[in-house]
Amino acid sequence: MQKLGEFKLPHFFNYPPYFTLQPVRDTREKQVQLWKDLILDYCRTQKVFVIGLEEEFPLFSNPVIGRSLTHEAREAFLSALVADGRAEWMDKGHRKCLILWHRIQEWAEILVQFARDNGLEDGVVTMEEIRFGTESQGTELQGIDRTILNRALKILEQKGKLVVFKGTSTDDEGVKFSL
Amino acid sequence: MGNQFVKKPKVTDVDRAILALKTQRRKLSQYQRKLDAVIEAEKQAARDLIREKKKDRALLALKKKKAQEELLKKVDSWLINVEQQLADIELASKQKDVFDSLKAGSNALKAIQNELNIEDVQKLMDDTAEAKAYQDEINAILGDKLSAEDEEEVLAEFENLETQLIEDDLPEVPTAASIYTDEKLDLPVVPTTAADVEVAANSTKKGTYPFLLFS
């Protein structure tokens, strides 16, 4: 089984036909499903949050069999993820895609759990602490993308579970929980 | 989800202070990492310079490294101060919470006690005692009346009842004749000679005589 670093690639990754966008509808559906799962899996384990369509994304080409996904194919697979609610286009030109292997709501719940686990029910933390602090080492929150974190925080803010604030201008952005 | 009445948590000055301290902690950590890198680089530079036999330059690099190491020690102690103050703020805020809840409890107690006036309680107890005394008096009067009129009647009835009960309780006394005619006493034969005794012993073995009398 081929590997990308520590990530085990599925068998279909080595078959050239899978890199060509299939015309037949049934085959196309199966192909799209396989690629959707692969992309989500890879992003989850490698903590990839954003995919740039024009960039060198390891999944988009397999040098062993000398095949690459065309731009059309990439857009097709990512659009399928967007339709599933598992990704979002970050710009109108569909050049960057935000991958949501956890939906924003799920991230919000993870944040709430994080606060509870660390006794932060009415505590103050900085955004940087949530992303890189000692409490988040080894959790899903480690290294979370800023955009996603902001969106999750906004959802929780609307529910009154926390408030985002800043003290002086030199401070990091802070979060005060109120669970 | 357009609930305008969702309670938003308030951000206090204490929160802002904590945020400032945590920001500082992060920045100091970052600075520590930077100093570590510089120290390592200077060490490496000094090694290279010694290899190139550039003694003066090597010494300079080592001096710079020393200066950075001193600075790192200071930063370490600042970081400890910041952590300490964060811990102190947390402790103080918890102490205030405890004090506030104790105060609230004490106030509640006072309010309840205010409603319960000691004079009212005393008056209540006095009224109750008065009522009881009145009742006792009435009982006494009524009680006297009864015994004066009915005591003799009650006493007579009591004596009647007593004698009746005594008569019922006495056992039957048998008449003289009945003692001798009612039962037929069956006494066993008493053996007198030795032979008789043997006969008696033998028959006893068969179980006819319940007991044996030896003379």
Side-chain angles (χ1 to χ4, degrees):
Chain A
M1 190 173 256
Q2 207 184 330
K3 275 204 204 179
L4 257 181
E6 279 301 310
F7 185 77
K8 285 208 189 82
L9 288 166
H11 288 295
F12 79 82
F13 197 72
N14 283 324
Y15 297 150
Y18 284 95
F19 279 81
T20 318
L21 206 54
Q22 295 297 313
V24 176
R25 196 179 48 157
D26 284 346
T27 338
R28 164 80 75 100
E29 275 173 20
K30 289 205 184 84
Q31 179 189 32
V32 167
Q33 186 60 47
L34 285 170
W35 275 100
K36 275 198 309 195
D37 292 340
L38 172 59
I39 293 175
L40 275 184
D41 240 351
Y42 183 78
C43 289
R44 185 184 306 119
T45 52
Q46 307 300 311
K47 300 247 185 186
V48 173
F49 294 93
V50 176
I51 294 181
L53 255 77
E54 256 112 72
E55 286 155 26
E56 287 292 320
F57 189 55
L59 283 186
F60 286 164
S61 53
N62 189 352
V64 174
I65 55 170
R67 285 279 192 280
S68 279
L69 286 177
T70 61
H71 190 277
E72 199 198 340
R74 299 174 192 198
E75 205 179 327
F77 301 147
L78 289 172
S79 297
L81 276 176
V82 173
D84 267 358
R86 285 285 184 198
E88 281 176 14
W89 290 114
M90 291 170 84
D91 59 324
K92 286 231 173 67
H94 291 195
R95 280 196 302 268
K96 275 199 190 304
C97 194
L98 187 70
I99 308 296
L100 298 169
W101 29 273
H102 275 308
R103 293 179 208 277
I104 302 281
Q105 183 56 44
E106 288 165 11
W107 282 116
E109 282 159 27
I110 290 174
L111 266 170
V112 167
Q113 193 55 46
F114 168 78
R116 281 195 221 277
D117 286 343
N118 289 293
L120 290 166
E121 280 91 342
D122 41 19
V124 173
V125 277
T126 69
M127 298 254 279
E128 289 301 303
E129 259 188 289
I130 295 177
R131 296 179 69 216
F132 298 111
T134 42
E135 288 99 353
S136 58
Q137 299 292 332
T139 69
E140 303 241 29
L141 286 173
Q142 188 181 1
I144 182 180
D145 178 82
R146 264 217 194 92
T147 325
I148 292 183
L149 180 59
N150 273 318
R151 296 263 293 272
L153 287 172
K154 201 161 281 166
I155 288 186
L156 290 172
E157 203 172 2
Q158 279 169 351
K159 289 199 192 147
K161 295 219 190 244
L162 55 86
V163 77
V164 178
F165 71 103
K166 212 163 167 170
T168 68
S169 55
T170 53
D171 289 343
D172 292 338
E173 272 190 78
V175 175
K176 177 174 167 143
F177 287 98
S178 175
L179 297 172
Chain B
M1 279 210 295
N3 193 353
Q4 301 130 300
F5 301 112
V6 164
K7 219 172 39 154
K8 240 186 158 172
K10 274 198 281 241
V11 178
T12 64
D13 284 335
V14 174
D15 295 326
R16 281 181 229 276
I18 293 178
L19 187 63
L21 283 167
K22 286 197 171 181
T23 306
Q24 212 45 47
R25 180 173 65 180
R26 180 187 66 78
K27 290 192 177 157
L28 284 175
S29 282
Q30 209 172 10
Y31 193 38
Q32 267 180 329
R33 283 196 293 273
K34 171 161 170 276
L35 287 175
D36 276 334
V38 171
I39 286 169
E40 197 50 46
E42 293 290 350
K43 213 193 284 182
Q44 190 57 43
R47 257 188 237 131
D48 293 338
L49 286 166
I50 286 177
R51 227 174 278 140
E52 293 167 25
K53 310 269 200 250
K54 294 194 179 135
K55 258 206 198 156
D56 290 337
R57 299 262 307 270
L59 271 170
L60 192 62
L62 284 174
K63 280 202 190 129
K64 277 185 3 193
K65 175 168 97 68
K66 194 74 168 99
Q68 304 283 25
E69 278 168 348
E70 293 298 310
L71 192 53
L72 188 59
K73 274 200 214 128
K74 286 211 188 95
V75 173
D76 284 343
S77 71
W78 293 339
L79 201 51
I80 290 176
N81 280 346
V82 169
E83 293 275 12
Q84 187 59 49
Q85 193 160 67
L86 272 170
D88 288 343
I89 286 188
E90 173 114 23
L91 184 64
S93 127
K94 294 281 175 283
Q95 282 173 336
K96 181 167 185 307
D97 286 345
V98 171
F99 173 75
D100 282 343
S101 37
L102 285 175
K103 192 145 163 277
S106 163
N107 285 340
L109 194 60
K110 264 194 242 166
I112 292 173
Q113 285 175 336
N114 268 339
E115 290 182 36
L116 201 61
N117 202 330
I118 282 218
E119 282 149 8
D120 290 339
V121 175
Q122 193 60 54
K123 188 168 183 306
L124 179 69
M125 296 306 279
D126 289 342
D127 285 347
T128 311
E130 240 184 79
K132 189 171 186 314
Y134 186 71
Q135 193 61 41
D136 285 343
E137 228 184 288
I138 291 183
N139 277 343
I141 296 174
L142 279 175
D144 283 340
K145 284 239 134 148
L146 264 177
S147 57
E149 292 181 357
D150 296 325
E151 192 164 349
E152 286 177 25
E153 279 184 38
V154 172
L155 217 63
E157 198 179 335
F158 176 66
E159 276 167 16
N160 274 338
L161 212 55
E162 222 179 359
T163 43
Q164 215 176 33
L165 282 172
I166 291 173
E167 283 176 15
D168 287 340
D169 276 344
L170 280 177
E172 284 262 337
V173 179
T175 54
S178 61
I179 291 177
Y180 296 104
T181 53
D182 284 351
E183 295 174 33
K184 188 170 185 252
L185 292 174
D186 212 350
L187 293 170
V189 175
V190 179
T192 44
T193 62
D196 282 343
V197 169
E198 217 177 280
V199 169
N202 286 337
S203 19
T204 311
K205 281 192 198 135
K206 292 182 203 148
T208 42
Y209 288 94
F211 61 91
L212 204 58
L213 288 173
F214 288 98
S215 53

